[in-house]
Amino acid sequence: MSLPVCIAAKILRIKFIIYENNLIIGKANKYLLPFAEKIFVSCSELEGVSEKYKKKVCEIGNII
């Protein structure tokens, strides 16, 4: 659901963040990772993120 909105934000040069609740990054978030300012995660053991994007990862826990 967020993929089209985030692509539109990138085209309009609006900064955005993404959130991953699982331990393995999803397809949409994996595609959006180069364009996002940060990726918030619920757990620091996120798999599927390359080393060059590790600096964008910020652990915040589960969103309530």
Side-chain angles (χ1 to χ4, degrees), residues 27-48:
K27 289 180 186 177
N29 282 344
K30 195 171 200 173
Y31 176 78
L32 293 170
L33 190 56
F35 310 115
E37 287 294 307
K38 293 271 186 189
I39 178 168
F40 293 155
V41 296
S42 61
C43 187
S44 63
E45 292 90 25
L46 183 66
E47 295 179 17

Side-chain angles (χ1 to χ4, degrees), residues 1-27:
M1 302 275 319
S2 65
L3 184 64
V5 175
C6 290
I7 291 173
K10 177 61 180 166
I11 291 169
L12 296 172
R13 295 188 174 135
I14 299 171
K15 296 178 180 181
F16 64 93
I17 59 166
I18 52 181
Y19 176 74
E20 183 61 56
N21 192 38
N22 301 314
L23 290 176
I24 301 173
I25 192 164
K27 289 180 186 177

